[in-house]
Amino acid sequence: MHFTFHPFLAAELPPPYTAIASPDASGIPVINCRVCQSLINLEGKLHQHVVKCTDCNEATPIKNPPSGKKYVRCPCNCLLICKDTSRRIGCPRPNCRRIINLGPVMLIPEEQPAQPAIPVQPEGTRVVCGHCGNTFLWMELRFNTLAKCPHCKKISSVGCALPRRRCCAYITIGMIFIFIGVGLTVGTQDFARNFHATYVSWAIAYLLGLVCLIRACYWGAIKVSYPEHSFA
């Protein structure tokens, strides 16, 4: 029987094990299947390292693994043979493809039940959209940024500090330009009658002030999304 292994990143610790054959009442060596506990007849198979159960079709080791190798059983019951220095393998079965992390080498006298793999969660924060109320994963490591909800496709601010800060900044800058425009209007009225280009400077000051105030309204009205734990 041929066993394969693949090095993948994983998250579980299946243990190695050994098995010892014992004769039944008729003197024929048998062993219990490590998966279904059925008796496996070892007659004529004692030269093999592993045998296949006729009931569940899973493999059970009857000898220690070859030098430099170790046995690992996937939670789907597939028996793998890999290097004893391997730290990551993957189940080759098409309906499993489970990723397994072997961790440090452990000497365990017999097989123990394998624990299910722990799925690796992507880093990020679960955020509740301020528009539609759905939760999505925000991959930025910092708040006070803009996020696009994958559900409603709308932009919102993650946290309220950013829109508040920018709204205040645009109001301040906008009022400064408005005051500059008023000052130019009052101080250069007589000069503007002779040099009409002065009106351009008035228009620029008022226009910049108006643009900043419009941006301030945008940041003041933007929807805010919050981390999911804020509602706990």
Side-chain angles (χ1 to χ4, degrees), residues 72-145:
V72 174
R73 191 178 295 278
C74 176
C76 75
N77 294 324
C78 179
L79 182 68
L80 308 174
I81 301 178
C82 62
K83 294 181 180 179
D84 56 9
T85 57
S86 297
R87 292 293 178 268
R88 296 181 304 233
I89 65 171
C91 178
R93 287 183 173 174
N95 61 344
C96 179
R97 298 296 184 186
R98 188 184 297 266
I99 297 171
I100 303 170
N101 178 25
L102 301 181
V105 177
M106 300 178 62
L107 298 178
I108 300 178
E110 62 181 28
E111 179 186 0
Q112 301 294 329
Q115 297 182 355
I118 301 173
V120 179
Q121 294 292 337
E123 293 183 0
T125 302
R126 298 186 67 82
V127 174
V128 179
C129 177
H131 291 280
C132 63
N134 288 316
T135 301
F136 62 94
L137 187 64
W138 179 236
M139 302 306 295
E140 290 286 340
L141 299 180
R142 59 190 179 90
F143 294 118
N144 302 325
T145 56

Side-chain angles (χ1 to χ4, degrees), residues 12 36 39 41 68 76 85 94 98 135 148 153 155 186 197 230:
E12 66 182 3
C36 67
L39 289 179
N41 187 338
C76 75
T85 57
R98 188 184 297 266
T135 301
K148 184 177 182 180
K153 309 299 182 183
I155 301 294
V186 173
S230 299

